[in-house]
Amino acid sequence: MKKLFTVLLVVMMMFTLAGCGSSDNNSSNESGEVGSYVLRGSGPLTGPAALYGIAVQRGAQIAVDEINAKEGFAFFDYKLEDDAHDPETAVNAFYKMLDDKMQVSLLCVTSAPAASVAPLCDENDVFAITPSGSRDDVPTYSDNVFQMCFKDSNQGKASAQYMKSNFADSKIGVIYQSSVDYSKGIYNSFISEAKSLGLNIVAETSFTDEKDYSVQLAEVKKAEADLVFLPIYYDEASDILTQAGEYKPVWFGVDGMDGILGKEGFDVSLAEGTYLLTPFDATSTEAKSKAFTEKYVSVYNETPMQFAADAYDAVYAIYNGLKDGNCDPSMSASEIAEILRDQFGSMEYDGVTGKATWAANGEVSKTPMCVVIKDGAYATVE
């Protein structure tokens, strides 16, 4: 009787263990495919930079939803953690994502957190592509880190070249934020290229964290600048345009200014005629861009900014790399990283932010476009 009880107990334990095994992330699903790829990242979902983080979260989610629907199962298990644009918080979030068995990363939305997290991708052998971390040094911290947006120095150089072609006779003033690496990096590359092209730079002035820009505005106005380059984020740019009063030069920004039309309380008429370089134009009639914009508007009831578009492209680029590299979710993050490094080194991706290729160091190559704010919306400049 005792032996019979023991046998029954063993059989019951075997059935129990078999039932528990089906909860593993890499188990087969009804379509015969193995489980989801765990895709994680972080960004500012709260705080002053939340507009960027939420845009990335939403753009990536649309791509994930489309891919999961196309595959017929949850190809990606995706989540974006809140790092509040803080490097230390981003590092803590990264370790939480490792506990979630992250296999591929969207790294961070903004550059300072991305620079802090990037070395951890090397230490833990996780492949990452940041949708919008544009600082030049972000990919240098790890062989596993790639960029979807063009880097800061390329933005500064491209801005100078555009001005040479379209505003060659302008008196150009510059207002930048010297306490922010993003702004300082673009400024440095812009000034270098502008001088080599012979542009007429009449004033260069900076600020740190103040909210009163009267000194900077007085300086560019005194120099009679009729074009003012603002390599800064939309939050500071909106304050400068508001405080400029009757002084109305041509304002010229870069991708960090994207979002100015959505800032709560900002009078968008003040941005009329503002130019900015961006990899994405929500008014474009190009098929892929138009489809993405229409989908984003239908889901979130707002026009997507370039951060959303870059995130959408980042997810699809990862998807293409996984498929073309014959990966499967049963692989370790390290195995996937090795394959994706090779794939991105030879891939040409054509997405809503244009055609992109990557160097071995993770730097993306793609051409920015210029848009102008007209009647409260972006319009492509031919």
Side-chain angles (χ1 to χ4, degrees):
M1 187 71 178
K2 186 175 181 179
K3 287 184 179 180
L4 178 60
F5 177 78
T6 303
V7 170
L8 289 172
L9 183 61
V10 169
V11 171
M12 290 173 64
M13 289 177 67
M14 289 174 65
F15 276 107
T16 301
L17 289 172
C20 291
S22 64
S23 65
D24 187 89
N25 181 64
N26 294 324
S27 61
S28 296
N29 56 38
E30 293 179 359
S31 66
E33 299 284 349
V34 291
S36 307
Y37 291 95
V38 181
L39 175 65
R40 294 290 188 269
S42 74
L45 302 179
T46 57
L51 192 67
Y52 298 134
I54 292 170
V56 166
Q57 181 188 51
R58 291 175 172 178
Q61 188 66 61
I62 286 179
V64 167
D65 290 345
E66 288 179 355
I67 290 166
N68 289 352
K70 176 182 178 181
E71 292 290 334
F73 70 101
F75 187 91
F76 282 123
D77 172 354
Y78 160 68
K79 185 178 181 181
L80 193 76
E81 299 284 346
D82 185 11
D83 63 28
H85 184 45
D86 176 67
E88 184 176 350
T89 303
V91 168
N92 293 334
F94 182 84
Y95 284 115
K96 180 181 184 297
M97 290 182 264
L98 288 179
D99 290 341
D100 288 345
K101 304 188 186 311
M102 173 174 60
Q103 293 166 290
V104 189
S105 172
L106 289 175
L107 199 65
C108 306
V109 171
T110 48
S111 290
S116 294
V117 171
L120 303 179
C121 293
D122 236 19
E123 292 175 19
N124 296 278
D125 209 9
V126 176
F127 180 87
I129 178 167
T130 170
S132 48
S134 58
R135 211 168 81 184
D136 284 23
D137 63 342
V138 167
T140 67
Y141 294 109
S142 171
D143 292 337
N144 285 328
V145 172
F146 286 65
Q147 289 172 309
M148 190 71 230
C149 58
F150 40 74
K151 65 181 185 179
D152 293 345
S153 60
N154 284 349
Q155 293 196 67
K157 184 176 181 179
S159 296
Q161 292 170 347
Y162 187 88
M163 291 179 199
K164 178 65 176 178
S165 298
N166 298 275
F167 296 97
D169 298 327
S170 291
K171 295 179 179 179
I172 301 171
V174 184
I175 303 175
Y176 72 100
Q177 190 170 8
S178 59
S179 58
V180 173
D181 289 333
Y182 166 82
S183 183
K184 188 166 58 177
I186 297 176
Y187 161 75
N188 287 334
S189 63
F190 170 79
I191 288 297
S192 176
E193 184 70 7
K195 289 180 178 178
S196 71
L197 294 174
L199 292 178
N200 185 17
I201 307 296
V202 296
E204 301 170 44
T205 182
S206 66
F207 62 94
T208 52
D209 300 314
E210 61 265 30
K211 293 297 183 180
D212 180 354
Y213 305 99
S214 57
V215 172
Q216 292 79 12
L217 285 165
E219 188 168 339
V220 293
K221 184 177 180 180
K222 182 179 179 181
E224 299 182 346
D226 52 22
L227 184 152
V228 177
F229 183 47
L230 300 174
I232 56 180
Y233 291 120
Y234 73 91
D235 200 37
E236 292 75 15
S238 64
D239 289 340
I240 287 175
L241 268 60
T242 300
Q243 294 175 29
E246 295 301 315
Y247 177 52
K248 297 187 182 299
V250 173
W251 304 105
F252 195 109
V254 285
D255 66 354
M257 195 185 284
D258 193 0
I260 193 169
L261 297 181
K263 184 182 176 183
E264 186 176 354
F266 175 65
D267 179 359
V268 297
S269 69
L270 298 175
E272 188 73 8
T274 296
Y275 287 77
L276 64 151
L277 290 189
T278 174
F280 173 70
D281 175 14
T283 66
S284 172
T285 57
E286 189 276 327
K288 290 180 181 178
S289 295
K290 183 179 180 182
F292 168 70
T293 298
E294 290 176 348
K295 182 68 173 290
Y296 195 97
V297 171
S298 70
V299 174
Y300 298 113
N301 196 33
E302 65 181 33
T303 302
M305 60 195 298
Q306 64 96 7
F307 286 78
D310 270 330
Y312 179 87
D313 276 349
V315 172
Y316 264 104
I318 291 170
Y319 172 69
N320 289 353
L322 292 170
K323 297 289 283 189
D324 293 344
N326 296 315
C327 293
D328 72 74
S330 66
M331 291 179 172
S332 68
S334 181
E335 291 171 321
I336 292 172
E338 182 178 3
I339 293 171
L340 288 182
R341 284 195 302 268
D342 290 340
Q343 287 295 314
F344 272 73
S346 58
M347 178 193 304
E348 180 176 303
Y349 173 77
D350 188 3
V352 300
T353 61
K355 293 182 179 180
T357 57
W358 287 267
N361 65 359
E363 178 186 334
V364 70
S365 175
K366 60 184 181 182
T367 303
M369 67 181 73
C370 190
V371 298
V372 63
I373 296 175
K374 183 178 180 181
D375 298 326
Y378 295 131
T380 304
V381 179
E382 300 297 338

